[in-house]
Amino acid sequence: MAIWSKRVFQDGINREIPLSTPLDELSFLVVDTETTGFAVGKDDRLIEVGAVPIVGLKVLENKTFQSYVNPKREIPEIITDLTSIKNEDVENAPDSLQVIEDLFAFAEEHGAHSMVGHYLTFDMQVLKHELRRADIKFQPPPSVDTLDLLSYLVPTWELKDLEYYAVVFETRIFERHSALGDALTTAYLFCELCERVKERGKHTWGDLLALSPVR
């Protein structure tokens, strides 16, 4: 008897990269999401995705990805106050599956070897649950979280907001609680953190993966 199984999402991430590859030769896609709330495994939904490529530890600020997403539910007022995203902004937006497919097509176009984010675990959960609703299985691609790099560099620090770290490390700050703005802020912070870990002898893809273990 045949066993039914979900279709596995094809993310197009370039996994064929030696662990010895220098950080300067890698391509990353920094991603951020906005949602209707934090209960993304239940009723909360994706409303915006933003992303920016990094190649050779340089942020490609002129090549970005941004899309609103139709959550098929009302956006709470508290989320609109935080993100400035209104119901009318998303009512004619594509659905989550289309946006996720477009996001990873963008990643493939830029030869991304890994996803990057600030508290990336949440963003990957958002994508996973949106694909689950379409009966598609999501296997998280190779990824690096800036929080893990910060934990390595300054293990005594308590968890702080993204903007706090950008101020401390003197990197650029873009519009907050905007998916693209936060992705850009994270991208510049990530590049600076990579330079700091290189100063501590961590120069390769394998080194970076070891600092940001899969959860």
Side-chain angles (χ1 to χ4, degrees):
M1 182 176 67
I3 299 175
W4 180 87
S5 61
K6 291 182 180 180
R7 174 165 68 93
V8 176
F9 183 75
Q10 302 300 310
D11 58 39
I13 298 296
N14 181 5
R15 290 171 168 80
E16 302 302 318
I17 186 76
L19 293 176
S20 59
T21 305
L23 297 183
D24 294 349
E25 296 179 12
L26 294 167
S27 297
F28 302 94
L29 187 72
V30 184
V31 64
D32 187 78
T33 61
E34 299 295 338
T35 61
T36 60
F38 294 110
V40 294
K42 295 181 179 180
D43 299 326
D44 284 316
R45 302 295 301 271
L46 182 63
I47 55 175
E48 186 187 17
V49 178
V52 58
I54 293 174
V55 177
L57 293 184
K58 302 294 182 185
V59 180
L60 303 187
E61 192 177 327
N62 61 334
K63 297 181 179 180
T64 60
F65 176 93
Q66 187 277 337
S67 179
Y68 290 125
V69 181
N70 189 333
K72 300 178 182 178
R73 55 155 290 180
E74 292 291 306
I75 299 174
E77 185 176 347
I78 190 173
I79 296 298
T80 295
D81 291 341
L82 180 68
T83 66
S84 299
I85 301 173
K86 305 178 182 66
N87 287 301
E88 51 264 37
D89 294 324
V90 300
E91 61 184 356
N92 295 316
D95 64 22
S96 59
L97 178 58
Q98 182 62 60
V99 174
I100 294 170
E101 289 177 339
D102 291 346
L103 171 69
F104 282 99
F106 182 78
E108 185 173 14
E109 176 186 345
H110 292 282
H113 300 113
S114 170
M115 308 294 281
V116 170
H118 188 76
Y119 189 28
L120 185 63
T121 301
F122 176 75
D123 301 299
M124 292 297 102
Q125 285 296 312
V126 172
L127 302 184
K128 173 184 175 180
H129 287 298
E130 290 293 349
L131 289 171
R132 176 182 56 79
R133 294 182 179 100
D135 288 325
I136 300 172
K137 184 177 181 180
F138 180 62
Q139 296 177 332
S143 59
V144 180
D145 198 316
T146 51
L147 289 175
D148 291 324
L149 302 187
L150 287 159
S151 179
Y152 168 72
L153 291 167
V154 280
T156 59
W157 280 8
E158 296 180 357
L159 184 63
K160 301 286 186 179
D161 180 75
L162 171 62
E163 186 171 346
Y164 173 87
Y165 297 120
V167 169
V168 169
F169 286 94
E170 299 181 329
T171 55
R172 297 180 63 184
I173 300 171
F174 295 77
E175 182 181 359
R176 293 305 323 282
H177 305 297
S178 147
L180 181 55
D182 282 347
L184 284 162
T185 301
T186 300
Y188 280 98
L189 175 63
F190 172 75
C191 288
E192 177 62 22
L193 296 179
C194 283
E195 295 298 337
R196 301 293 182 101
V197 300
K198 284 165 60 180
E199 291 173 359
R200 298 196 182 186
K202 308 295 186 182
H203 297 284
T204 69
W205 175 223
D207 291 334
L208 198 62
L209 282 177
L211 295 177
S212 193
V214 177
R215 291 177 174 81

